[in-house]
Amino acid sequence: MKLTQAVTLAVLCLAFPAIEAIPTPAASSALPTGTSAVSGLNALATAAGKLYFGSATDNPELTDTTYTSYLNNSQHFGQLTPGNSMKWDATEPEPNTFTFTEGDQIANLAKSNGQILRAHNLVWYSQLPDWVTSNNYNATGLTEVIQNHIANVAGHYKGQPYAWDVVNEPLNDNGSFRSDVFYDTLGESYIPIALNATRAADPNVKLYINDYNIEYTGAKATAMQNLVKSLQADGVPIDGIGMESHFIVGEVPTTLVENFQAFADLGVEIAITELDIRMTLPETDALLEQQKQDFYNVVDACLQVSACKGITVWDWTDKYSWIPSTFPGEGAATPFDDNYEEKPAFDGIVEALMGQSFS
Ligand SMILES: *[C@@H]1O[C@H](CO)[C@@H](O)[C@H](O)[C@H]1NC(C)=O
Ligand SMILES: *[C@@H]1O[C@H](CO)[C@@H](O)[C@H](O)[C@H]1NC(C)=O
Ligand SMILES: *[C@@H]1O[C@H](CO)[C@@H](O)[C@H](O)[C@H]1NC(C)=O
Ligand SMILES: *[C@@H]1O[C@H](CO)[C@@H](O)[C@H](O)[C@H]1NC(C)=O
């Protein structure tokens, strides 16, 4: 082993970390051990000038106390995103009937733990209750439906989230607007309607549009930049663009920094909102090593662009990743395995957050 490698390893061992909140010996034995209680992924991210390193989570997982004790540790996770429980089907399942119990559980968890909340999401074609599409609203009616949904949901959480994903996934991969009930009824105007309504409901929350395949240069990123310019020209509030970042091992785009900077140049902030990097199973040492490099590259790209405010993984353990159920035969997409053990990907994140070159 070279001296530089030994030094790097020593630094990593010191940095990672005692998880003080782990309640039982059985739980702590499955988690990383070390001597420093100071550091964690979020601690490293904030030391590097970012607002947070965080994770998506979902209500059913919170009964798993090993999982939750780690999630609770704001040294590691300084930010939470509810994976499902603030979506339209969860919050307004019937017209003008609102349920906030599950969304509140995650909002309150973040508050208790001193974690930033990214609220997710207000207007999306998916996980939308049937009544929104099947009632054949005209433009006036659907505008009122959107405004009422946002006034109630963003109004309920007013003052708490750092950001709202106001509009989720509005674009096709070729850069055209996605055909859905919102676009088909209102054209592009549903986007300003939603942004304006959110600003009215919660004047200080950051207003984001969130999408995938806009992380790298290409038609879809260009279309999103054009949308930002058009909103700005019309005086519509837009604060940030969420880069979902559901990547594939060995296929992480090489134009992240250039593309992030192009958004930053428009005067909006960005965030990596749903990061995971999946592989075709079974996992191999070679795939795990490539995944380490891939996580390093994504985190490093965010560090290189000051407008990139933070990084959210779409859950932090393979145990609760959405990938295997959505992409059969694929998985192992997060930095911790099913037993909460750190994978090489975790070390890749740490090296990038510490400003080290990849080792
Ligand atoms: C996680 O944090 C919440 C809020 O602080 C607390 O009620 C809960 O008991 C914690 N769970 C574990 C497993 O530590
Ligand atoms: C839109 O729908 C509402 C409710 O059905 C109706 O009262 C209104 O006349 C419609 N507006 C137009 C422009 O068709
Ligand atoms: C862009 O993609 C959408 C969705 O796949 C498709 O309907 C549309 O025809 C495409 N437009 C062009 C110009 O290829
Ligand atoms: C949104 O708000 C801006 C600024 O007040 C205004 O110019 C624009 O007309 C509004 N757009 C919609 C669709 O409400």
Side-chain angles (χ1 to χ4, degrees):
M1 182 185 288
K2 287 190 208 148
L3 182 59
T4 49
Q5 288 173 323
V7 169
T8 302
L9 274 178
V11 169
L12 290 177
C13 291
L14 272 179
F16 275 85
I19 308 299
E20 293 185 302
I22 300 302
T24 66
S28 63
S29 66
L31 288 160
T33 54
T35 52
S36 169
V38 175
S39 277
L41 296 175
N42 183 58
L44 292 176
T46 53
K50 300 296 146 183
L51 273 179
Y52 57 82
F53 188 99
S55 180
T57 190
D58 205 359
N59 299 74
E61 303 154 27
L62 299 176
T63 57
D64 175 340
T65 52
T66 306
Y67 170 88
T68 306
S69 60
Y70 203 1
L71 184 77
N72 273 355
N73 188 331
S74 63
Q75 293 290 301
H76 283 278
F77 304 110
Q79 175 273 325
L80 300 184
T81 304
N84 287 299
S85 50
M86 290 186 190
K87 289 172 178 173
W88 198 313
D89 59 354
T91 52
E92 193 185 6
E94 302 296 335
N96 205 34
T97 299
F98 293 90
T99 58
F100 295 117
T101 315
E102 296 214 316
D104 286 355
Q105 188 185 2
I106 291 173
N108 291 338
L109 187 66
K111 191 186 285 176
S112 304
N113 293 333
Q115 293 160 320
I116 290 169
L117 179 68
R118 286 195 90 263
H120 175 83
N121 59 55
L122 291 167
V123 175
W124 188 30
Y125 73 91
S126 183
Q127 292 180 258
L128 190 63
D130 283 346
W131 65 266
V132 179
T133 37
S134 64
N135 280 358
N136 294 313
Y137 292 108
N138 61 27
T140 310
L142 190 60
T143 299
E144 287 168 6
V145 163
I146 293 169
Q147 289 174 334
N148 189 56
H149 180 71
I150 292 176
N152 280 277
V153 179
H156 178 78
Y157 291 107
K158 179 182 177 180
Q160 193 176 348
Y162 167 73
W164 258 112
D165 289 328
V166 177
V167 176
N168 204 42
E169 302 180 349
L171 299 178
N172 292 314
D173 282 348
N174 63 19
S176 61
F177 284 93
R178 183 190 291 276
S179 168
D180 60 19
V181 66
F182 304 110
Y183 183 74
D184 296 347
T185 309
L186 290 162
E188 296 173 38
S189 76
Y190 84 88
I191 296 173
I193 289 166
L195 290 163
N196 282 0
T198 312
R199 175 57 44 95
D202 189 351
N204 295 319
V205 75
K206 298 280 186 190
L207 307 176
Y208 269 66
I209 300 174
N210 188 53
D211 214 328
Y212 59 88
N213 291 351
I214 58 165
E215 303 87 357
Y216 52 94
T217 56
K220 194 170 184 179
T222 301
M224 186 63 84
Q225 288 156 14
N226 288 338
L227 174 58
V228 169
K229 288 183 210 168
S230 134
L231 293 168
Q232 290 171 331
D234 292 343
V236 178
I238 176 69
D239 298 310
I241 300 297
M243 309 277 160
E244 292 189 11
S245 307
H246 296 292
F247 294 132
I248 297 171
V249 165
E251 298 178 25
V252 167
T254 56
T255 57
L256 297 177
V257 173
E258 175 191 342
N259 185 57
F260 292 175
Q261 192 57 52
F263 279 95
D265 290 346
L266 299 178
V268 288
E269 60 180 59
I270 62 166
I272 293 174
T273 53
E274 306 188 11
L275 176 62
D276 51 27
I277 310 183
R278 63 187 184 268
M279 63 181 71
T280 300
L281 300 173
E283 37 188 288
T284 63
D285 288 348
L287 284 167
L288 291 169
E289 198 55 31
Q290 179 63 48
Q291 188 183 44
K292 174 183 178 182
Q293 175 82 64
D294 293 337
F295 268 98
Y296 177 94
N297 288 352
V298 176
V299 172
D300 183 56
C302 181
L303 261 62
Q304 286 189 49
V305 179
S306 62
C308 184
K309 294 297 170 185
I311 298 161
T312 307
V313 286
W314 205 248
D315 232 316
W316 53 272
T317 162
D318 292 342
K319 186 173 183 182
Y320 295 119
S321 170
W322 70 304
I323 294 293
S325 61
T326 307
F327 301 92
E330 299 180 66
T334 82
F336 292 78
D337 71 13
D338 286 337
N339 298 314
Y340 311 116
E341 298 280 2
E342 296 162 359
K343 293 158 58 178
F346 176 88
D347 299 329
I349 295 171
V350 169
E351 288 178 17
L353 290 175
M354 294 183 77
Q356 298 172 350
S357 46
F358 184 78
S359 69

